[in-house]
Amino acid sequence: MENTLIQIHGFRLHLRGQRQSHRFPVARAGLFASAAHHDSKALKEQKVALPDMMLFGDLAFADRQLVKIFNQQQSALITGRKSRKANS
């Protein structure tokens, strides 16, 4: 088996939390990844049930696979919208 060196310049800790009234959320699960690892990719890799939740994310979260998962679990996925560029 060949050893491969992977250079990581920083890391992210992706946490999923549960809301609490008048308190900080409680961490329920986490994943360490390289700094370049996008949040939506980390969410897909965790393969968790996300019933009855609301996720606010950037446009990268609006891919078909995540939208399908959220719809099946009756959860809301809220993302921005791409703006139309004016014709020059």
Side-chain angles (χ1 to χ4, degrees):
M1 183 176 207
E2 187 177 315
N3 290 334
T4 304
L5 177 64
I6 299 173
Q7 293 183 345
I8 297 176
H9 302 282
F11 67 91
R12 286 185 182 196
L13 172 59
H14 299 272
L15 290 175
R16 288 189 314 22
Q18 179 178 353
R19 279 192 294 185
Q20 300 186 98
S21 181
H22 305 289
R23 296 182 179 184
F24 285 108
V26 174
R28 294 292 183 201
L31 171 73
F32 279 103
S34 72
H37 203 79
H38 192 274
D39 299 339
S40 64
K41 187 174 181 181
L43 184 62
K44 290 177 198 173
E45 289 173 355
Q46 291 183 49
K47 297 181 183 176
V48 294
L50 304 167
D52 300 321
M53 72 169 285
M54 185 177 293
L55 179 102
F56 293 86
D58 60 23
L59 291 174
F61 281 91
D63 76 6
R64 290 180 186 183
Q65 182 182 5
L66 280 177
V67 169
K68 183 178 178 181
I69 290 168
F70 273 76
N71 288 339
Q72 289 172 342
Q73 297 183 17
Q74 298 179 343
S75 293
L77 178 59
I78 307 199
T79 62
R81 294 183 181 170
K82 289 186 179 182
S83 61
R84 294 184 180 186
K85 294 183 180 181
N87 294 333
S88 305

